[in-house]
């Protein structure tokens, strides 16, 4: 195998010739399929599954292309290419999604082969972004950087990418299959709302092992993933997942799309019976074929390269001085910057949620700016978070002020990571063919209402998540405050839920009361926040207060006028 | 799109829409016997009678799909209020105009 040496880009997996040839073949295959569709050799019915396998959907205004960002990690070169595609083939912007992907909304079918060809030039593609396959594996946006990290999840996410992409058994599953991996105690990847959630950890001897949660999912019937095995040794990682997928492939329902996800199987069989089936399958197939040898893990880890960190100390003087002299910068650091595992470095969140803005949208110019900043300050590498923000993961603390100044000057310095303005919203009825109601205008109205950064910081951690229909692409079920768009006799209404939690203590929110109009929803959010602030004890987050006082006071206040 | 009381009394008409195969553009069936397509709702054929709309829809669908010109061909409801053609459903209004959150884009931008 003739693979390229790890580039100067930190922590980005370097493709080898096999990967490249495979992607190139898929592009040519799709080019021929598009030609056959346009010439009439293929009917729409025949063509639709083929285009979906290449991430191409038909939406309200045009085709939508969903581009995979494996485990959310990009090089600056890749981001520049996305910016270029946005300008050349779309309308100068893209939408980063909760699955750490990028969607373009105005794509022409006839341009798609050329776009995929250009993407392949930078080792990108739209594979496994649609269809009943194992989808793009997601992980912590701070992977390989966070101080609290125990295991680097990228390595295992990449192992899964390689193992699932060509796996014939897993190309036609009963339904789509989403896996998320987390390697630190703080769950930033919402693993228990995925079909399989993997929690990577170490035992006393320092060996890597995995806890498996299976059967989580949102959509029409939300479920929290059930614990299936607390410790799967590293060498059995692939075997165990293979066992889970086989049980699913064998028993999963193909007759009813609403019952086809693994969550329904786990629910119907029960946690115990499902676990037993998996364990039996695992015992059968465990052996040399499925053993994940340490050499493979090491090789993949090596292919990620590694940033050449310098020996520095935390809180250098210039950084402290900049914070002292500039309260806005200090606020941004307090809210958007996370401790790094290497002293003297930090991970910075670039909010794509300006007050009144469209969550997750970035213009081609902004993408280019971020690419430049990634080159200047973060080893040419960046990440997409499931909260629809961007992250520069390895910034020297003494360069944070320069970074912030550039971001701030371009509308990218909003200090709201994890706060009430950091709203997750799906495209909703403004773009999506399946929507019941719009999501984006509501997100804009709420973030505008809570625009004041000091007020946001005073409110503290509070995630609002909005979906335009029950498919729950906006994760509303696990929003501390969730909002679901519904259609009532042709009018847009919104159902509010409270108490959702996407972290390891996963909880699905409860419906607060009858659905209300968009305007009423914004007022309801304000009312909920006021009730929280007037009831909160020291150090309580919104969900803590809610748990303590119950829904009563919130419900009373929101529906007082009704 | 708040419909005022007056518009509720306007007759509900039908128009026929689709997405153009090669680029996904929203298109509407044009008036006339040759079953052509236009990009703007203002230029579309309107049908007062649901039965006629159904008949034309079947013919337009067969032709457009047969010629690989359009996909997802269907009819939808609209009213004409103060001379403006306003689809009954928000979804169709957004298709006819563009995203409400980006009024610089879509058909509404070129207006
Ligand atoms: C605009 C085109 C989109 C379409 C047609 C679409 C379609 C769907 C459907 C049908 C489901 C339900 C699947 C099921 O429960 O089996 C779903 C779930 C989901 N989608 Fe989307 N989606 C779209 C956009 C997005 C976007 C923009 C995001 C990210 C912001 C996203 C992320 C998700 C997530 C996280 C789930 C729920 C998790 C799960 O249970 O699988 N989707 N989507
Ligand atoms: S939740 Fe519904 S409206 Fe929103 S993107 Fe998903 S399918 Fe579309």
């Amino acid at each position: 195998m003739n693979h390229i040496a790890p580039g100067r880009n930190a922590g980005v997996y370097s493709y080898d010739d096999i990967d490249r040839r495979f992607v190139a073949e898929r592009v040519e295959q799709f080019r021929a399929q598009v030609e056959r569709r346009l010439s009439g050799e293929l009917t729409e019915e025949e063509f639709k599954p083929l285009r979906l396998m290449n991430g191409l959907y038909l939406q309200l205004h045009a085709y939508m292309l969903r581009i995979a960002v494996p485990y959310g990690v990009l090089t600056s070169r890749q981001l520049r290419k996305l910016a270029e595609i946005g300008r050349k083939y779309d309308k100068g912007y893209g939408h980063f999604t909760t699955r750490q992907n990028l969607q373009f909304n105005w794509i022409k079918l006839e341009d798609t082969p050329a776009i995929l060809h250009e993407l392949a030039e930078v080792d990108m593609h739209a594979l496994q972004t649609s269809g009943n396959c194992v989808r793009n594996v997601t992980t912590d946006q701070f992977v390989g950087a966070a101080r609290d990290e125990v295991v680097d999840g990228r390595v295992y996410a990449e192992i899964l990418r390689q193992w699932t992409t060509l796996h014939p058994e897993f190309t036609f599953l009963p339904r789509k299959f989403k896996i998320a991996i987390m390697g630190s105690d703080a769950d930033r990847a919402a693993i228990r709302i995925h079909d399989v959630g993997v929690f990577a950890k170490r035992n006393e001897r320092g060996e890597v092992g995995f806890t498996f949660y299976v059967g989580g999912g949102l959509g029409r019937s939300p479920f929290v993933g059930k614990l299936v095995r607390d410790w799967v040794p590293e060498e059995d990682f692939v075997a165990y997942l293979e066992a889970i997928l086989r049980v699913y492939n064998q028993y999963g329902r193909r007759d009813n799309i609403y019952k086809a996800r693994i969550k329904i199987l786990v629910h119907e069989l029960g946690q115990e019976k499902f676990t037993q089936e998996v364990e039996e399958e695992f015992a059968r197939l465990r052996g040399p074929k499925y053993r994940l040898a340490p050499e493979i893990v090491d090789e993949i880890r090596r292919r990620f390269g590694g940033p050449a960190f310098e020996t520095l100390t935390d809180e250098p003087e210039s950084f402290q001085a900049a914070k002292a002299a500039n309260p806005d910068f200090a606020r941004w650091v307090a809210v958007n910057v996370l401790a790094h595992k290497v002293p003297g470095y930090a991970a910075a969140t670039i909010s794509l949620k300006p007050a009144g803005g469209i969550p997750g949208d970035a213009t081609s110019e902004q993408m280019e700016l971020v690419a430049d900043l990634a080159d200047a300050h973060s080893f040419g590498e960046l990440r997409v978070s499931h909260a629809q923000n961007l992250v520069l993961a390895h910034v020297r603390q003494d360069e944070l002020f320069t970074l912030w100044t550039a971001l701030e000057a371009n509308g990218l310095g909003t200090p709201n990571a994890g706060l009430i303005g950091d709203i997750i919203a799906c495209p909703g009825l403004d773009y999506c063919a399946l929507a019941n109601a719009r999501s984006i205008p509501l997100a804009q109205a709420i973030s505008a209402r809570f625009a004041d950064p000091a007020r946001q910081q005073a409110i503290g951690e509070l995630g609002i998540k909005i979906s335009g229909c029950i498919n729950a692409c906006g994760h509303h079920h696990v929003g501390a405050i969730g909002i679901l768009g519904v259609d009532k006799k042709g009018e847009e209404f919104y159902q509010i839920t409270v108490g959702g939690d996407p972290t390891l203590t996963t909880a699905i929110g409860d419906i607060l009361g009858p659905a209300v109009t968009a305007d009423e929803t914004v007022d309801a959010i304000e009312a909920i926040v006021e009730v929280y602030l007037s009831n909160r004890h020291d150090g309580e987050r919104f969900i803590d207060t809610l748990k303590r006082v119950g829904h009563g006071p919130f419900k009373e206040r929101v529906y007082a006028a009704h | 799109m708040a419909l005022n009381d007056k518009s509720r009394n306007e007759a509900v008409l039908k128009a026929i829409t689709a997405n153009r195969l090669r680029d996904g553009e929203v298109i509407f069936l044009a008036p006339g016997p040759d079953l052509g397509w236009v990009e703007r709702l203002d230029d579309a054929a309107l049908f007062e009678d649901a039965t006629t709309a159904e008949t034309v829809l079947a013919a337009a669908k067969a032709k457009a799909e047969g010629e690989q010109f359009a996909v997802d061909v269907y009819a939808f409801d609209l009213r004409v209020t103060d001379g403006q053609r306003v689809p009954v459903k928000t979804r169709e209004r957004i298709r006819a105009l563009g995203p409400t959150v980006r009024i610089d884009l879509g058909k509404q931008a070129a207006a």
Side-chain angles (χ1 to χ4, degrees):
Chain A
M1 209 158 28
N2 177 20
H3 40 62
I4 50 158
R8 76 192 167 82
N9 289 317
V12 176
Y13 184 79
S14 51
Y15 266 38
D16 65 17
D17 290 347
I18 295 176
D19 296 311
R20 292 223 168 82
R21 210 176 313 132
F22 171 69
V23 171
E25 277 166 15
R26 283 291 297 259
V27 171
E28 288 319 305
Q29 202 178 51
F30 190 56
R31 189 188 300 280
Q33 288 162 350
V34 170
E35 276 164 19
R36 283 158 63 209
R37 175 67 189 108
L38 291 172
S39 74
E41 255 177 84
L42 289 175
T43 63
E44 186 61 15
E45 210 181 318
E46 290 163 335
F47 179 66
K48 192 173 168 185
L50 301 174
R51 76 164 150 74
L52 287 177
M53 269 190 222
N54 289 279
L56 193 65
Y57 291 74
L58 183 59
Q59 290 294 308
L60 290 185
H61 314 292
Y63 292 91
M64 178 273 276
L65 182 65
R66 185 180 286 162
I67 296 167
V69 180
Y71 29 91
V73 182
L74 281 171
T75 62
S76 55
R77 180 167 165 251
Q78 289 173 324
L79 187 60
R80 274 191 202 97
K81 177 55 88 179
L82 294 173
E84 189 190 328
I85 288 172
R87 194 176 285 124
K88 203 158 136 189
Y89 299 104
D90 202 273
K91 294 187 187 285
Y93 71 106
H95 178 74
F96 289 99
T97 81
T98 51
R99 304 219 66 257
Q100 301 179 303
N101 291 326
L102 180 79
Q103 294 184 178
F104 284 121
N105 296 305
W106 301 90
I107 295 298
K108 298 181 167 74
L109 174 62
E110 57 196 3
D111 286 342
T112 314
I115 297 171
L116 294 178
H117 181 80
E118 289 200 29
L119 283 172
E121 287 170 7
V122 294
D123 297 338
M124 294 190 84
H125 55 76
L127 303 174
Q128 290 176 287
T129 63
S130 174
N132 297 334
C133 59
V134 178
R135 300 288 188 88
N136 185 24
V137 177
T138 52
T139 188
D140 180 11
Q141 68 272 25
F142 299 115
V143 67
R147 191 160 289 180
D148 62 10
E149 182 168 280
V150 179
V151 176
D152 185 339
R154 269 174 314 185
V155 173
Y156 304 93
E158 174 56 28
I159 288 168
L160 290 187
R161 187 192 68 80
Q162 298 190 5
W163 172 64
T164 58
T165 299
L166 285 172
H167 201 310
E169 242 179 276
F170 304 152
T171 311
F172 296 99
L173 292 165
R175 197 75 178 89
K176 57 177 153 179
F177 204 87
K178 299 178 181 176
I179 304 174
I181 301 185
M182 190 63 219
S184 87
D185 288 340
D187 180 4
R188 288 178 288 258
I191 64 172
R192 291 184 72 187
I193 57 166
H194 287 76
D195 296 280
V196 169
V198 181
F199 183 66
K201 56 189 184 183
R202 288 179 192 275
N203 62 14
E204 316 80 64
R205 289 191 297 271
E207 295 157 348
V208 172
F210 306 90
T211 302
F212 275 80
Y213 295 98
V214 185
L218 301 175
R220 192 172 300 269
S221 9
F223 285 101
V224 175
K226 311 277 189 307
L227 176 69
V228 167
R229 172 94 86 105
D230 183 59
W231 180 264
V232 174
E234 182 184 76
E235 63 169 16
D236 290 329
F237 177 63
V238 167
Y240 206 77
L241 250 164
E242 177 93 19
I244 291 168
L245 276 159
R246 281 203 185 169
V247 170
Y248 176 47
N249 231 351
Q250 189 179 347
Y251 296 107
R253 290 184 58 170
R254 293 170 192 267
D255 58 324
N256 180 342
I257 192 171
Y258 298 118
K259 304 212 159 175
R261 296 288 292 266
I262 197 172
K263 63 189 177 186
I264 305 292
L265 177 66
V266 175
H267 178 69
E268 287 183 351
L269 280 182
Q271 183 171 355
E272 204 176 312
K273 174 87 174 102
F274 177 82
T275 304
Q276 187 193 332
E277 291 284 343
V278 170
E279 290 292 335
E280 282 171 14
E281 187 63 38
F282 173 60
R284 263 196 294 278
L285 58 76
R286 197 177 187 194
K289 182 167 171 224
Y290 290 103
R291 181 170 169 270
L292 181 61
E295 306 82 66
I296 296 178
V297 180
D298 286 345
E299 168 63 9
I300 290 191
R301 188 172 290 119
R302 192 186 67 72
R303 297 261 296 273
F304 274 101
F309 292 115
E310 288 172 58
T311 309
L312 304 168
T313 50
D314 276 332
E315 296 285 322
E317 234 166 80
S318 64
F319 176 48
Q320 293 189 43
K323 283 192 284 186
N326 195 321
D328 288 342
F329 172 60
R331 186 193 310 281
W332 181 78
V333 170
V335 176
N336 286 36
V337 173
L338 189 86
H340 198 283
K341 62 183 182 185
V342 179
Y345 287 85
T349 297
I350 300 173
S351 171
L352 297 180
K353 321 284 178 71
I358 300 180
D361 273 14
T363 63
S364 291
E365 289 71 31
Q366 288 177 323
M367 291 185 218
E368 279 157 358
L369 174 83
V370 173
D372 290 347
L373 292 171
D375 281 341
H377 302 292
S378 198
F379 302 89
E381 179 244 65
L382 61 130
R383 289 93 187 281
V384 182
S385 78
H386 90 270
Q388 304 176 282
N389 291 315
L390 299 176
V391 167
L392 296 187
H394 313 294
V395 184
R396 280 175 63 135
Q397 290 172 9
D398 57 10
E399 293 178 5
L400 280 169
F401 184 72
T402 316
L403 170 66
W404 173 77
T405 309
L407 291 172
E408 185 69 357
N410 290 278
L412 291 168
T414 315
N416 64 359
L419 303 183
I420 194 166
D422 189 5
I423 299 170
I424 292 181
C426 78
L429 192 51
D430 280 297
Y431 295 98
C432 178
L434 303 176
N436 283 327
R438 286 173 290 168
S439 316
I440 299 169
L442 200 48
Q444 291 176 302
I446 297 169
S447 69
R449 178 76 68 94
F450 291 93
D452 177 8
R455 186 176 177 211
Q456 288 199 48
Q457 208 179 359
I459 295 166
E461 185 186 320
L462 200 172
I464 296 185
K465 303 181 199 286
I466 311 176
S467 307
C469 80
I470 195 62
N471 285 324
C473 305
H475 286 188
H476 69 275
H477 292 298
V478 288
I481 301 177
I483 301 173
L484 165 66
V486 294
D487 177 341
K488 273 197 184 177
K489 300 203 183 91
E491 303 285 333
E492 295 167 289
F493 272 76
Y494 298 89
Q495 196 171 67
I496 300 170
T497 53
V498 292
D501 178 1
T503 67
L504 275 183
T505 44
T506 317
I508 306 291
D510 300 311
I511 295 172
L512 196 62
V516 294
T517 64
D519 288 346
E520 289 168 338
T521 305
V522 184
D523 291 337
I525 304 298
E526 180 118 44
I528 291 169
V529 168
E530 279 168 16
V531 173
Y532 158 54
L533 293 178
S534 59
N535 282 280
R536 134 169 110 182
H537 290 173
D538 262 1
E540 271 184 347
R541 297 166 305 165
F542 168 75
I543 53 167
D544 304 324
T545 305
L546 177 73
K547 243 178 238 159
R548 187 172 48 76
V549 306
H551 293 175
F554 293 93
K555 202 169 172 163
E556 222 164 87
R557 185 65 175 279
V558 167
Y559 294 98
H562 282 248
Chain B
M1 179 190 45
L3 293 174
N4 56 35
D5 288 333
K6 190 175 151 233
S7 70
R8 296 223 185 267
N9 297 326
E10 312 277 358
V12 174
L13 308 173
K14 287 200 183 286
I16 292 169
T17 186
N19 288 84
R20 194 155 57 204
L21 173 67
R22 68 180 162 80
D23 59 3
E25 180 76 33
V26 174
I27 48 178
F28 302 95
L29 189 72
D34 49 353
L35 303 175
W37 295 86
V38 291
E39 292 188 15
R40 308 197 72 83
L41 179 55
D42 282 343
D43 303 328
L46 300 186
F47 302 90
E48 285 176 20
D49 164 42
T51 322
T52 315
E54 282 305 310
T55 314
V56 178
L57 172 63
K61 191 173 162 70
K63 179 163 187 281
E65 291 181 356
E67 293 171 353
Q68 279 66 249
F69 186 77
V71 288
D72 281 359
V73 187
Y74 62 92
F76 66 95
D77 294 340
L78 74 160
R79 293 188 175 89
V80 180
T81 305
D82 298 333
Q84 300 267 38
R85 298 177 171 195
V86 184
V88 171
K89 287 197 168 148
T90 311
R91 181 185 200 273
E92 295 309 325
R93 198 198 62 145
I94 290 173
R95 281 182 79 249
L97 294 174
T100 63
V101 293
R102 288 294 303 264
I103 53 174
D104 56 325
L105 300 179
K107 297 176 192 298
Q108 61 198 348

